[in-house]
Amino acid sequence: MYMITYWSDELRVKGLLAEPKDEHIYDGFLYLRGGIKSVGMVRPARIGQFAAEGFIVFAPFYRGNRGGEGNEDFAGNDRVDAYAAFDLLKQYHRVNSKRIHIFGFSRGGIMALHTAIARKEALSVVTWGGVSDMILTYEERKDLRKMLKRVIGGTPNKYPERYQDRTPLFFIEKLTQPILIIHGEKDENVSIEHAKRLEERLTSFGREVETWYFANYTHYFPPAMNRQIVNDLCSWMKSKHEA
C-alpha cells in the first residue's frame, strides 16, 4: 500500500493505493468512500480486501483530508477528485487501462455515478448502500442538515439547483455502463429508496442494471456476509467485457 499525492484541479489531494505483491497487470478499481472528513475515512483493511481479490485499488481521501489541499463539498467540486483518481489508475503501469471499475459506498454512491458519467470508458459501476438523491438525503438525515447547509450553502428549497447538480438521477441517461446496486432494506443511514429510485431511472433508460437487495441488513453488513458480497461483486466486475 502507498499513500499517493495527486493533482485534482489545482489542488494536491491524497489517496491510498493498494496492489497485489507481484508484477502482474490487473483490472483497476476506483474505491469512492462515504462520509465526510474523518467520518467514513478510507480504511487500509477495506482497500486491502479488494486488492486481495485481484485488483489495483485506488481510494481518494477527497480534498482537504489527511493533509490534502482544499475543502470537501459533498459531491460538488470534489467530484473532480474522483475523476482525477480514475485518470491516475488509467495511467498506472500495472493497470489494464481498458478495465477500470468504479465502486462507491454510501456518499461514494453519488461520486461513483458522476464519475461513470464523466468517464464513459469505465467498465462497470457498483454502488453499495449508495446515495443517489441529495434532496432525499437532506429530507431523511436531520442530523446531516447542518453540515449540508454549510458545505452546499443552504437548503434544497433555497438552492434547488445545487442539490440537483449533485444528484446523478438527473443525468442518468448519460450513464452507459452496467451497474450493480447493493443495498440493505433496513438501512437507516441511506434508505432503500435511494436504490429504488436509481434502479427505476436506469430501467426507464434501458440500462443494464442488477440489484442485490437484502431484507435483513442495515447500512453495515455482518463480517461473514460482507466478505461474501465483496467476493461476489468482484466476480461480477471481472465478468464484464469491454466493448
Side-chain angles (χ1 to χ4, degrees):
M1 281 191 197
Y2 308 92
M3 182 89 87
I4 304 286
T5 304
Y6 69 105
W7 287 104
S8 176
D9 286 335
E10 300 299 307
L11 301 171
R12 283 187 287 259
V13 178
K14 310 262 182 190
L16 193 65
L17 181 89
E19 59 185 18
K21 287 175 82 170
D22 56 36
E23 298 303 315
H24 298 147
I25 305 293
Y26 288 96
D27 285 20
F29 187 114
L30 178 61
Y31 181 99
L32 298 170
R33 52 162 284 217
I36 188 166
K37 298 200 180 296
S38 59
V39 177
M41 183 43 79
V42 174
R43 291 183 298 116
R46 187 62 164 165
I47 306 309
Q49 197 180 12
F50 286 106
E53 294 283 340
F55 293 95
I56 308 282
V57 184
F58 186 53
F61 300 147
Y62 309 142
R63 56 190 59 187
N65 290 310
R66 305 287 289 275
E69 296 171 346
N71 288 297
E72 274 186 280
D73 58 357
F74 218 85
N77 292 328
D78 58 12
R79 287 188 299 222
V80 178
D81 303 348
Y83 306 165
F86 182 94
D87 297 340
L88 184 150
L89 269 176
K90 193 174 174 182
Q91 292 161 14
Y92 192 56
H93 68 284
R94 290 190 57 196
V95 171
N96 179 342
S97 62
K98 290 189 166 64
R99 297 190 58 85
I100 301 176
H101 311 271
I102 302 171
F103 173 91
F105 177 74
S106 196
R107 168 267 179 104
I110 42 175
M111 303 292 278
L113 295 167
H114 280 300
T115 305
I117 290 165
R119 297 292 182 268
K120 300 211 180 307
E121 65 269 38
L123 196 56
S124 73
V125 187
V126 175
T127 75
W128 186 339
V131 172
S132 68
D133 188 329
M134 283 297 296
I135 298 156
L136 182 60
T137 295
Y138 186 89
E139 290 168 356
E140 291 179 341
R141 292 293 300 273
K142 291 178 181 170
D143 58 319
L144 295 182
R145 286 180 185 175
K146 188 176 175 185
M147 178 276 289
L148 290 170
K149 283 188 280 193
R150 176 174 56 80
V151 298
I152 298 175
T155 67
N157 285 335
K158 189 174 182 184
Y159 294 112
E161 72 287 352
R162 294 184 187 179
Y163 283 80
Q164 287 177 14
D165 178 64
R166 286 166 166 80
T167 297
L169 296 179
F170 289 100
F171 313 101
I172 218 73
E173 72 278 6
K174 297 177 181 174
L175 194 145
T176 55
Q177 301 88 345
I179 181 161
L180 171 61
I181 305 170
I182 303 169
H183 219 104
E185 293 183 14
K186 291 184 176 175
D187 193 333
E188 293 182 1
N189 295 53
V190 180
S191 75
I192 188 74
E193 182 64 23
H194 285 267
K196 296 283 180 67
R197 288 184 185 185
L198 176 57
E199 179 190 3
E200 194 176 300
R201 289 287 287 163
L202 287 162
T203 303
S204 72
F205 286 104
R207 299 299 183 257
E208 184 185 334
V209 57
E210 191 169 327
T211 56
W212 299 353
Y213 295 151
F214 296 88
N216 299 318
Y217 296 144
T218 63
H219 201 52
Y220 303 103
F221 288 37
M225 194 63 194
N226 201 310
R227 284 192 297 272
Q228 182 61 54
I229 294 168
V230 165
N231 183 268
D232 291 346
L233 79 85
C234 288
S235 297
W236 180 88
M237 284 177 167
K238 289 174 184 174
S239 73
K240 301 304 162 192
H241 298 289
E242 56 264 36

